[in-house]
Amino acid sequence: MTQALDEIKIGGMGASRKRVEDNRFIRGKGNYTDDIHLPGMLHMEILRSPVAHARITRIDASKAWEIPGVHLVLTGEMMATRNLAWMPTLSYDTQAVLATDKVRFQGQEVACVIADDPYIAKDACEAIEIDYEPLPVVVNPMQAGEPDAPIIRDDKENQAGNVIYDWEVGDAEGTDRAFEQADVVSRLQLHYPRSHPSPIECCGSIADFNRSTSKLTVYMTTQAPHIIRAAVALVAELPEHMIRIISPDIGGGFGNKVPVYPGYVCSILASILLERPVKWIEDKTGNLISTGFARDVYLDGELALRRDGKILGMRMRTLADHGAFFSDAQPSKFKIGLMHSTFGCYDVPVAHLAARGLYTNKAPGGVAYRCSFRVTEAMFFQERMMHAAANDLGMDQAEFRRINLVRDDQFPHRTPLGFLLDSGQYGACLELGLKAVGYEDFLRQKEEARKNGRLLGIGISTMSEPLGAGNSREYDILGIKMFDSAEIRVHMTGKALLRTGARGQGQGHETTWAQIVAHELGIPADDVTVEEGDTDTAPFGMGTYASRSTPVAGAAIAMVCRKVRAKARKLAAHLLEVSEEDIEWELGRFYVRSAPDRGVTIQECAMAAYSNMPDGMEPGLENNAYYDPPNLTWPFACYIVTVEVDPETGVWDVLNMVAVDDCGVRINPMIVEGQIMGGLTEAFAMSSMQFITFDSEGNCIGSNYMDYLIPTSWETPGFELHGEVVTPCPHHPIGAKGVGECAAVGGPAAFVNAVMDALAGTGVRNIDMPLLPDRVWEAITERHDVSGAPPVRSDG
Amino acid sequence: MTIIYEETGAEGGPEIPQQRVTIRVNGRKVIAEVEPRLLLAHLLRHGMGLTGTHTGCDTTNCGACTVLVDGRAVKSCTMFAVQAEGREVTTVEGLATQSELHPLQEGFKEEHGLQCGFCTPGMMMAAKALLDRNPDPTEEDIRWGLSGNLCRCTGYQNIVKSVLWAAEKLRSQSAG
Ligand code: FES
Ligand code: FES
């Protein structure tokens, strides 16, 4: 009898399947980089600069060499003899591996020690003597842009000042005209503070060079193993087939584990020199002060408005502080990532964005921290500007958004800054959020409370962000196109092995990828093993960041399954002795159209592929697929927060937070909700406490978990999630959109807008994040904006 | 057994002092020769190969290294191995029996209380100490009880649910 499988029962699409990776993690049997122990392994520690800007006048490592157990001390000078003192960044700049001439930020790598154990290596680092001749420090990019500012990158020819780039997009003249016609111009200036992805697991690597095979194996904390392999091949000039990058379990990435760091390079060189495995595991301070930070962008934004609330034009100038080296991990064509995705979800006729990037004496980075290349800043700026504009018009926040959101019948929607939004039901999401939070009711409560001197506020953030780079026409990193891949082998008994070019760090790929296979082939998800992260076995892919796994690798999985199904259909025709055209597919089974009882399962087809294939057919049932997406996917989200601010202390409490996410078809709803909840937690973190700043000497404040505040279970509020609105992505094979970072991208503005709403009437337009109680208190009592920009040094 | 010492550094460098400790780890008595400055976390991870105890910070904030010492939750990065002399240490590897998971382990899987899994062993050990003291905690009790542990992936809502799930199962087990 014909019997299509129950998709949920086999763990297919839409099943909240429990995660398979959990089985090892809950037993403490994960295999993270630091868990790996190789025979004869040595340990590396890095000595970092204590100062932010100085000339190195002397390095004396002789005392370190004398310590028993020390095998090697690496300095910039030694790296230079091998042409490895500098390395290229992912943004066409160079970065020092170990400093030779100068140090340019606090925490910069100066020397490395390789020893029998990490304690000895640390002792030896302390025994290295270095003389630093201090130079003037610049930690504020406005100051860095002044004509008399010290030039930070004097190592670069043709680098006159500290400006890295000036980049613009949009229609400057058209935008000017829109502003001339505006009834009201609303302007907002603010700073999105420097932040750090700070996964709990720090970065690390174990390099293992085997002289007898000439093969270099590197176990490392990387979200993009194939990019690393390419980088190692190019930088260390090793043949690519002799390099194997293995990314074992990763203890969180969030963009921090995309770039190439000096520690990786040094451990590789040390292993080649010593012919022994060399392990480097960074400490938390090293991670926070030297590896990929995020954000640190200043906004000067303006909206041209008609009295009735219609936006006529948008103008944005941004100033990004990239630190001492421009090492953003982002598509090469766009200097400030996808900042120009700002205002995508609103129907804005004309817009212009001008972006400037600057060097300062701060750590390099600019990684996409739970973010698709600066879209976090883009959406934060957008929603803060929306909030200010509605107030300037004296208009209700929800109504102002209703008037301007792109309507359902406007898709596909071309934005004035060049994106094509694929689909959405923005209005439905907003209304759902308003209903869930009890909007009108809350507005009344707020008025009541105000009479008693209590400050309540509500903040809305609606946004659509571009997820899943490429397409390859526009998106590449150093010329490597941003596509992704999948490869599947269906074994004889119908079980399967799936490999992709992505690399999860907690997103649950081992679980969800098998669900796509179940959906496409009817093979129960439990019968599918998923492997990622080993460049010797996985097909080439660009890795996992910027919520690109489901949009790109997930699509490749569906496509490779369809190739396999096409072959299985031929096998089915052979087994059923009918022509292929007479065969129909239902989940897990082919059958004869005219006689639905006559059928064969996918497992029977798999067996036939190895034991009973038709004459002339190539044996086996496996294939691969490279997927180049036609466009980015555009999920939409509406986040609404209500707060109460204590006017006496500036402390604010979240009363309620409602999140409506339309991320297209959900493969595993449990995992999708988990991603949203994680993102909301980080949104709360950024708005309330988490940031990195510097004093005027360039000392990093936020260099450890006592200063870099991450909310715990105690501070973090509860969240109410809604997933009722589903707009499938029209160009994705299974209708899915990215989701992993939406909440971290769109969430912060909802919290900040809520607090600003509570402060309405004080004349305060902005408090820079994080909204620490002292900043809020200052705004309330002094009735002025509070800036979080780092200090300008006055002593020259 | 033979131990090979390689000659590196200056001859006759300072001797690294060693001290013998006897600790009961997950029910088994273990004797180790350690440097007095060796952290308990490092002895467990690298000395004994119990890599389920993770380290995620330098300042006793993250809680990834949480183990039980004589039944109390302790951040093992903040204790020297020699301070564990004569104590009973339980790590995540000691939670399950050979045939059965601990209800906390089941609860974390059931309620999607983990993503990358790095904070999870510490979370579960802190939760175990809490449930041993208070078998019927409120959500607030759990939020306070786990406030020494950081998670960057999951947020805390599902972690709290996981612990509630385990508490309920443990209670029904002891009632039944
Ligand atoms: S490693 Fe022990 S608290 Fe972070
Ligand atoms: S699950 Fe990744 S840190 Fe908690």
Side-chain angles (χ1 to χ4, degrees):
Chain A
M1 201 41 230
T2 165
Q3 199 48 260
L5 296 169
D6 177 336
E7 174 146 8
I8 299 296
K9 278 205 186 119
I10 64 164
M13 295 258 293
S16 280
R17 183 178 183 231
K18 303 290 177 234
R19 301 197 332 158
V20 291
E21 40 277 87
D22 289 0
N23 295 334
R24 59 179 187 279
F25 293 147
I26 55 177
R27 287 177 170 85
K29 297 290 182 195
N31 187 36
Y32 303 92
T33 299
D34 191 30
D35 298 344
I36 295 168
H37 185 91
L38 301 178
M41 189 169 81
L42 300 171
H43 297 265
M44 183 181 104
E45 290 285 335
I46 296 176
L47 178 66
R48 300 178 180 281
S49 168
V51 293
H53 200 194
R55 194 180 309 284
I56 297 176
T57 53
R58 183 182 73 104
I59 298 186
D60 180 357
S62 54
K63 293 208 175 72
W65 279 103
E66 282 170 15
I67 294 176
V70 169
H71 291 255
L72 180 67
V73 181
L74 286 175
T75 59
E77 200 181 335
M78 293 167 69
M79 300 300 280
T81 62
R82 289 170 181 82
N83 211 10
L84 282 175
W86 293 81
M87 63 179 180
T89 71
L90 295 176
S91 281
Y92 292 104
D93 193 3
T94 50
Q95 174 172 357
V97 178
L98 294 180
T100 46
D101 52 336
K102 283 181 179 178
V103 289
R104 292 177 169 83
F105 69 94
Q106 186 189 48
Q108 188 177 337
E109 299 79 358
V110 177
C112 291
V113 175
I114 294 90
D116 283 335
D117 81 39
Y119 287 58
I120 297 174
K122 263 226 149 88
D123 288 346
C125 279
E126 278 170 24
I128 299 173
E129 292 171 10
I130 304 180
D131 291 346
Y132 295 103
E133 189 183 289
L135 295 167
V137 174
V138 184
V139 293
N140 182 302
M142 265 67 91
Q143 191 175 21
E146 297 291 326
D148 59 343
I151 295 177
I152 294 162
R153 294 300 302 279
D154 57 348
D155 58 292
K156 292 176 75 174
E157 274 174 45
N158 311 324
Q159 179 72 40
N162 291 315
V163 175
I164 308 171
Y165 59 79
D166 276 305
W167 189 83
E168 64 174 319
V169 62
D171 176 358
E173 284 169 26
T175 306
D176 288 347
R177 280 196 298 277
F179 275 83
E180 282 158 21
Q181 281 152 22
D183 296 329
V184 177
V185 171
S186 172
R187 183 174 180 197
L188 189 68
Q189 288 172 292
L190 57 82
H191 177 216
Y192 200 128
R194 186 171 272 237
S195 196
H196 195 284
S198 192
I200 306 288
E201 179 202 40
C202 300
C203 296
S205 54
I206 305 167
D208 182 13
F209 179 68
N210 183 329
R211 176 71 62 201
S212 60
T213 59
S214 302
K215 185 125 186 174
L216 170 72
T217 306
V218 189
Y219 304 83
M220 63 192 282
T221 51
T222 178
Q223 300 173 225
H226 284 97
I227 301 185
I228 299 285
R229 184 180 68 185
V232 173
L234 298 173
V235 175
E237 293 180 5
L238 292 171
E240 201 174 353
H241 66 301
M242 285 295 162
I243 304 165
R244 179 180 188 185
I245 306 295
I246 300 176
S247 169
D249 286 329
I250 303 180
F254 318 113
N256 182 237
K257 292 169 180 166
V258 176
V260 182
Y261 294 124
Y264 299 148
V265 178
C266 292
S267 69
I268 289 170
L269 178 65
S271 179
I272 292 172
L273 294 175
L274 297 167
E275 296 184 21
R276 286 175 66 171
V278 174
K279 180 192 261 190
W280 164 63
I281 301 293
E282 188 177 60
D283 56 24
K284 183 79 351 160
T285 295
N287 183 255
L288 283 168
I289 67 175
S290 76
T291 66
F293 76 91
R295 329 289 188 232
D296 213 351
V297 185
Y298 297 77
L299 163 77
D300 184 354
E302 286 172 297
L303 283 176
L305 302 160
R306 212 163 59 194
R307 180 71 57 206
D308 64 2
K310 180 82 188 74
I311 300 172
L312 302 176
M314 190 282 297
R315 190 151 57 197
M316 207 181 252
R317 282 176 295 274
T318 63
L319 190 68
D321 179 342
H322 293 275
F325 310 106
F326 181 31
S327 64
D328 286 31
Q330 65 187 4
S332 300
K333 197 169 142 189
F334 305 105
K335 293 297 164 215
I336 188 71
L338 307 186
M339 184 72 83
H340 53 307
S341 63
T342 191
F343 282 89
C345 70
Y346 299 112
D347 185 11
V348 178
V350 63
H352 184 254
L353 162 70
R356 168 170 275 207
L358 285 144
Y359 290 120
T360 58
N361 290 119
K362 294 152 80 170
V367 299
Y369 162 24
R370 219 166 175 147
C371 164
S372 196
F373 317 117
R374 305 282 184 188
V375 298
T376 310
E377 293 93 313
M379 299 309 154
F380 183 74
F381 294 165
Q382 164 195 307
E383 285 310 296
R384 290 289 297 117
M385 285 166 68
M386 288 296 286
H387 183 91
N391 285 348
D392 290 345
L393 288 167
M395 197 171 239
D396 174 75
Q397 290 292 339
E399 187 55 23
F400 181 52
R401 285 174 173 78
R402 256 183 221 121
I403 291 170
N404 288 293
L405 281 173
V406 173
R407 292 188 319 272
D408 299 4
D409 61 5
Q410 285 177 298
F411 293 105
H413 173 71
R414 175 72 63 188
T415 76
L417 297 181
F419 286 102
L420 190 68
L421 274 64
D422 57 14
S423 61
Q425 304 172 59
Y426 298 171
C429 290
L430 174 63
E431 298 311 325
L432 178 59
L434 293 171
K435 185 159 165 256
V437 82
Y439 187 65
E440 300 296 338
D441 241 21
F442 186 84
L443 293 185
R444 275 191 294 275
Q445 275 178 41
K446 190 177 93 168
E447 288 320 310
E448 278 305 305
R450 195 165 274 269
K451 290 180 198 149
N452 306 321
R454 285 172 58 210
L455 301 180
L456 303 192
I458 187 161
I460 303 177
S461 173
T462 46
M463 60 108 211
S464 179
E465 60 157 332
L467 299 181
N471 58 75
S472 69
R473 295 183 311 281
E474 289 176 290
Y475 301 98
D476 66 78
I477 295 184
L478 300 180
I480 308 170
K481 304 285 191 186
M482 297 187 76
F483 50 78
D484 228 292
S485 60
E487 184 182 285
I488 190 165
R489 293 181 195 172
V490 183
H491 310 316
M492 188 177 318
T493 56
K495 318 286 180 193
L497 170 64
L498 176 86
R499 290 172 167 146
T500 84
R503 182 45 175 144
Q505 319 113 45
Q507 294 89 338
H509 290 179
E510 289 168 53
T511 305
T512 41
W513 289 169
Q515 294 183 249
I516 300 177
V517 175
H519 174 71
E520 293 290 334
L521 288 177
I523 297 175
D526 287 345
D527 290 351
V528 182
T529 302
V530 175
E531 283 184 4
E532 290 180 341
D534 180 343
T535 57
D536 264 12
T537 57
F540 185 93
M542 292 297 269
T544 292
Y545 41 85
S547 287
R548 63 187 300 279
S549 291
T550 295
V552 195
I557 296 165
M559 298 317 270
V560 76
C561 287
R562 289 174 194 180
K563 286 187 185 176
V564 161
R565 197 166 75 202
K567 180 166 184 186
R569 175 185 293 271
K570 291 194 190 345
L571 287 156
H574 168 68
L575 293 174
L576 294 166
E577 298 178 333
V578 292
S579 83
E580 227 188 298
E581 295 74 59
D582 298 329
I583 296 274
E584 289 287 338
W585 165 257
E586 61 186 4
L587 192 63
R589 180 177 180 272
F590 293 101
Y591 61 89
V592 180
R593 186 176 305 119
S594 56
D597 288 1
R598 285 188 58 216
V600 286
T601 63
I602 185 79
Q603 288 80 6
E604 287 167 317
C605 295
M607 181 57 83
Y610 297 87
S611 62
N612 177 21
M613 54 280 185
D615 280 349
M617 181 189 272
E618 192 181 344
L621 192 56
E622 60 182 67
N623 219 317
N624 62 21
Y626 281 77
Y627 187 78
D628 183 0
N631 187 3
L632 299 143
T633 69
W634 294 84
F636 182 81
C638 168
Y639 304 117
I640 306 182
V641 172
T642 57
V643 297
E644 171 151 15
V645 179
D646 181 346
E648 305 281 306
T649 60
V651 171
W652 51 280
D653 286 317
V654 175
L655 304 173
N656 196 0
M657 161 150 227
V658 169
V660 181
D661 280 273
D662 175 6
C663 55
V665 174
R666 297 182 175 201
I667 303 167
N668 181 324
M670 174 192 83
I671 288 182
V672 169
E673 291 193 355
Q675 291 291 309
I676 295 167
M677 239 150 358
L680 291 174
T681 307
E682 300 207 30
F684 172 70
M686 285 181 271
S687 59
S688 64
M689 59 182 81
Q690 168 190 305
F691 74 124
I692 281 183
T693 189
F694 294 80
D695 69 11
S696 59
E697 302 292 321
N699 293 306
C700 175
I701 298 162
S703 65
N704 59 66
Y705 278 169
M706 287 193 285
D707 298 335
Y708 190 65
L709 299 182
I710 291 171
T712 73
S713 50
W714 188 245
E715 296 86 22
T716 308
F719 308 121
E720 181 186 319
L721 308 192
H722 289 269
E724 294 92 325
V725 184
V726 177
T727 316
C729 175
H731 61 75
H732 188 278
I734 53 173
K737 300 179 179 181
V739 70
E741 59 205 37
C742 294
V745 168
F751 290 102
V752 176
N753 285 346
V755 174
M756 296 314 298
D757 184 50
L759 267 53
T762 55
V764 176
R765 274 181 96 69
N766 182 61
I767 306 173
D768 278 343
M769 288 196 293
L771 303 182
L772 301 166
D774 63 302
R775 292 188 185 181
V776 177
W777 181 85
E778 182 183 332
I780 295 172
T781 43
E782 308 286 330
R783 301 197 166 234
H784 62 190
D785 285 14
V786 181
S787 159
V792 171
R793 195 180 153 121
S794 54
D795 57 10
Chain B
M1 229 216 49
T2 320
I3 299 175
I4 310 284
Y5 293 97
E6 282 182 61
E7 211 180 272
T8 53
E11 265 182 71
E15 278 283 299
I16 297 175
Q18 297 282 329
Q19 191 163 332
R20 172 175 294 226
V21 283
T22 307
I23 313 174
R24 195 168 274 280
V25 179
N26 297 333
R28 286 170 49 185
K29 192 166 144 185
V30 182
I31 300 169
E33 298 274 340
V34 300
E35 267 185 77
R37 64 173 174 170
L38 185 76
L39 301 178
L40 177 60
H42 293 157
L43 175 66
L44 293 170
R45 287 183 51 73
H46 303 305
M48 300 182 183
L50 295 172
T51 52
T53 299
H54 301 145
T55 54
C57 72
D58 328 321
T59 48
T60 316
N61 289 92
C62 77
C65 63
T66 307
V67 298
L68 301 186
V69 178
D70 292 341
R72 289 180 51 189
V74 165
K75 291 178 175 173
S76 62
C77 71
T78 308
M79 190 165 168
F80 293 116
V82 293
Q83 292 176 295
E85 168 67 34
R87 311 268 196 141
E88 173 94 40
V89 174
T90 311
T91 70
V92 64
E93 288 90 345
L95 266 186
T97 63
Q98 259 188 348
S99 58
E100 240 183 294
L101 289 174
H102 188 277
L104 274 166
Q105 294 170 306
E106 291 178 90
F108 271 73
K109 180 167 175 176
E110 282 301 313
E111 296 290 351
H112 190 26
L114 65 149
Q115 290 181 18
C116 79
F118 202 77
C119 69
T120 314
M123 285 285 179
M124 292 193 300
M125 299 316 286
K128 174 141 195 332
L130 169 72
L131 295 185
D132 288 347
R133 276 198 320 271
N134 177 1
D136 193 5
T138 61
E139 170 170 344
E140 196 165 62
D141 294 337
I142 296 170
R143 285 190 177 268
W144 184 245
L146 297 183
S147 63
N149 293 64
L150 299 175
C151 175
R152 288 295 270 173
C153 306
T154 311
Y156 301 99
Q157 208 152 316
N158 283 356
I159 292 176
V160 172
K161 278 199 214 161
S162 306
V163 179
L164 284 169
W165 191 100
E168 194 175 325
K169 173 144 188 193
L170 282 164
R171 284 199 307 277
S172 73
Q173 278 177 349
S174 59

